[in-house]
Amino acid sequence: MPLHLPPAPAPALRSIVTALGSPTAVRETRTPALKSAQGSLTCELPLPVHVLEQGTTGGTAPRTRLSGWRFLIKGADGRAMAAGESMLTADGWAFSHFSEGPYVASTELALRQAESLSTPYQPRLLTVPGLYMLTLWLHGDLTADPASPLPAPGDLLVPLAPAPPGIAAHRPHRFADLLPVLALRLTPAPLLRTSA
């Protein structure tokens, strides 16, 4: 298996497990799948979640920042039904939220596809908030700290579905090739001047 999952911080995992065991946290979430789940739930496939920093797409080296850890939550049947995310606070790792929807299945599919690649990678998630876009980031440095903010030269981004119009989901792109496309879309359009 060419994917080398980095170990999640124990407090990050513990925050999700604690929230899953809390009737209040599950009841207040907008994830019907968790509310109706029967049997035991497991947290699997920990992925560090990075955010593409604003202003790093216009000719400067891209930078990201670690914003949390996401775990796929699987039911007794082994199917991913939701995701749980923890975030770093001043007091350490804390539960952030549960979610479900197309990105859960898309993440699982992208990870399966990445396992068939011949090159080993460290999987991460990269979110591009300005485009409402989430990608599987396949980092080439297997020994890197999962919080490291810089991409390696051979890193790949796999946009998850639903991807923004014109960007194919589940198709790997070299980080350096996709970044200019993202920069173009994130650049605000110039204001039009009108004559007085």
Side-chain angles (χ1 to χ4, degrees), residues 40-189:
S40 63
L41 300 173
T42 58
C43 296
E44 299 180 16
L45 302 169
L47 296 170
V49 180
H50 288 256
V51 177
L52 185 65
E53 289 288 319
Q54 289 288 67
T56 62
T57 55
T60 61
R63 292 193 63 84
T64 68
R65 68 174 167 77
L66 180 69
S67 64
W69 280 82
R70 185 171 296 172
F71 301 82
L72 291 185
I73 299 169
K74 295 189 175 188
D77 62 358
R79 183 182 60 83
M81 63 175 56
E85 195 162 320
S86 61
M87 64 182 180
L88 190 57
T89 68
D91 295 325
W93 291 99
F95 170 71
S96 174
H97 63 276
F98 292 121
S99 61
E100 65 179 55
Y103 284 135
V104 172
S106 189
T107 300
E108 201 171 31
L109 174 61
L111 287 168
R112 280 196 309 271
Q113 290 173 327
E115 287 176 344
S116 67
L117 298 173
S118 58
T119 305
Y121 290 102
Q122 181 191 88
R124 303 170 172 194
L125 293 172
L126 178 67
T127 181
V128 185
L131 296 178
Y132 302 101
M133 181 179 184
L134 184 63
T135 68
L136 178 64
W137 174 7
L138 299 173
H139 189 55
D141 183 355
L142 304 179
T143 61
D145 179 342
S148 66
L150 299 173
D155 285 5
L156 299 176
L157 293 177
V158 181
L160 301 180
I167 297 176
H170 295 283
R171 181 173 164 253
H173 301 269
R174 291 182 58 81
F175 202 110
D177 295 339
L178 188 57
L179 199 62
V181 174
L182 300 179
L184 185 64
R185 291 175 176 229
L186 289 169
T187 303

